Amino acid sequence: MKKIFAFAGILLALGMGSAFAKKASDENKVKVVTTIFPEYDWVKEIVGEKAADVELTLLLNNGVDLHSYQPSVKDIAKIQEADIFVYVGGESDEWVDDVLKNVKSPNQKVINLLEVLGDRVKAEEIVEGMEHEHHHDEHGHDEHGHDEHGHDDHDGDHHDDHGHDHDEHEHEHDAHDGHHNDHDEHNSDKHEHHHVDDHNEHHHDHEEELDEHVWLSLKNAQILTNAIADALCQADSKNAEVYRKNLASYNAKLSDLDSKYEAAVKAGSKNTLLFGDRFPFRYMVDDYGLKYYAAFTGCSAESEASFKTIAFLSEKVNELGLNSVCQIESGNGKIAKTVISNSKNKKAKVLTLDSLQSTTAKQIKKGATYYGAMEKNLEVLKEALR
């Protein structure tokens, strides 16, 4: 009997020792929490072969809309324990300030994408023919050079990546309706000291509603990955050389893809996109000098277009000789098909561009990446501009 108790005691001790070892191992990892998929995937690309040294969490990975998302208790705990927290920083993230008041580490690095981009961020825009909610009229909108432009949403639940194990987690909230590589050293320092803020220096300005969909610009993506790499190098200096090497390699790929977008726009016979949906692609079209028309702004909660909007968009299909009407990945095609049926070009196609707001844990497990989605968007863009 004594042997049984002794053996049980040994097993208990071993179990406790294993638990303590695991806890110690976990404690040595750099904890990174991201809100949306592009941020998450950028971290993965920079971390690369050092994934085992980083505990990476994606909060929105089940289709939850960025604009209606509210963090669960579990989400809040993860954010407050993180060494690095990356989020968009627009009106949809107003909840962040309260969460960060109770952060456990005074050295936590907080990366607000809009703050990193500074003057590159644009105000939400209403363009001709677009449905809009009344409160949008209270905000100033860029005239923009072309007299047309807009903005969008859609995102998901909770995805932890320990090494590269992709585990889905149930959330405690409702899922209603998520620069160039020649970025010089001066700008990199600027990111490190101003944009990659320690929690105690963190701040916001909410004077106007900003277009939050900054990740849909490949030029912006290169700036933002620099800021993320800066934070990772500060939090995990022993792997800094690897992070810098991976950053350079990844940004070279993004820069090359950016050049392919420029070439595709130059080769296209059209210079206007028409969306029978919300429009989150303003940063993309601005990068390449394209024009657009759309049913709704990017963060609109509306889903039913008026007869006036349908008629306007249908007439634009006729006027511009367009062969397609676009929608975002979460669209059902209803408005786009109605626009086409009311135009002269009944054979126009409905094309889908991915705004990377609805990427799920299941898609990540199957290999979804930011770069891959933007590559596919390029092929869709080529067809839309024919």
Side-chain angles (χ1 to χ4, degrees), residues 145-318:
H146 357 300
D147 53 285
E148 49 246 16
H149 282 84
H151 166 130
D152 179 20
D153 64 23
H154 254 93
D155 267 291
D157 177 72
H158 203 159
H159 188 80
D160 287 337
D161 190 349
H162 302 279
H164 272 159
D165 294 330
H166 302 295
D167 300 322
E168 288 190 63
H169 300 271
E170 293 301 320
H171 244 136
E172 300 167 23
H173 52 261
D174 294 332
H176 5 287
D177 282 62
H179 178 83
H180 274 276
N181 196 33
D182 52 357
H183 189 57
D184 58 34
E185 291 182 11
H186 172 72
N187 286 336
S188 180
D189 290 342
K190 186 176 177 184
H191 288 159
E192 185 169 334
H193 297 136
H194 177 65
H195 297 302
V196 185
D197 297 324
D198 284 341
H199 166 61
N200 292 340
E201 297 175 2
H202 188 67
H203 66 289
H204 288 285
D205 289 315
H206 294 293
E207 294 176 359
E208 61 185 350
E209 188 169 355
L210 302 175
D211 188 325
E212 299 171 346
H213 307 89
V214 293
W215 59 88
L216 290 169
S217 160
L218 288 163
K219 301 181 196 313
N220 284 349
Q222 293 172 68
I223 296 172
L224 296 169
T225 51
N226 270 282
I228 290 170
D230 285 346
L232 281 166
C233 289
Q234 290 173 29
D236 185 20
S237 59
K238 72 179 186 299
N239 289 323
E241 186 176 345
V242 173
Y243 298 154
R244 291 293 178 198
K245 175 188 64 118
N246 290 341
L247 171 69
S249 175
Y250 186 60
N251 273 354
K253 286 177 60 178
L254 294 182
S255 181
D256 181 62
L257 187 57
D258 181 32
S259 296
K260 290 178 181 177
Y261 268 81
E262 290 176 355
V265 170
K266 287 180 182 178
S269 62
K270 305 286 189 294
N271 72 339
T272 303
L273 296 179
L274 190 143
F275 271 68
D277 206 337
R278 292 172 290 183
F279 188 79
F281 291 95
R282 181 181 175 188
Y283 291 97
M284 178 190 286
V285 297
D286 282 7
D287 278 350
Y288 310 113
L290 293 170
K291 299 178 181 180
Y292 75 87
Y293 295 96
F296 312 108
T297 62
C299 30
S300 174
E302 298 183 54
S303 59
E304 297 294 328
S306 66
F307 174 78
K308 182 179 179 181
T309 294
I310 296 291
F312 175 85
L313 295 175
S314 298
E315 183 53 37
K316 281 299 175 185
V317 171
N318 300 336

Side-chain angles (χ1 to χ4, degrees), residues 26 83 104 178 207 252 277 306 311 334 337 341-342 352 378 384:
D26 289 346
D83 298 299
K104 297 181 179 180
E207 294 176 359
D277 206 337
S306 66
K334 181 181 176 183
K337 290 173 184 175
S341 67
N342 282 279
T352 302
L378 172 59

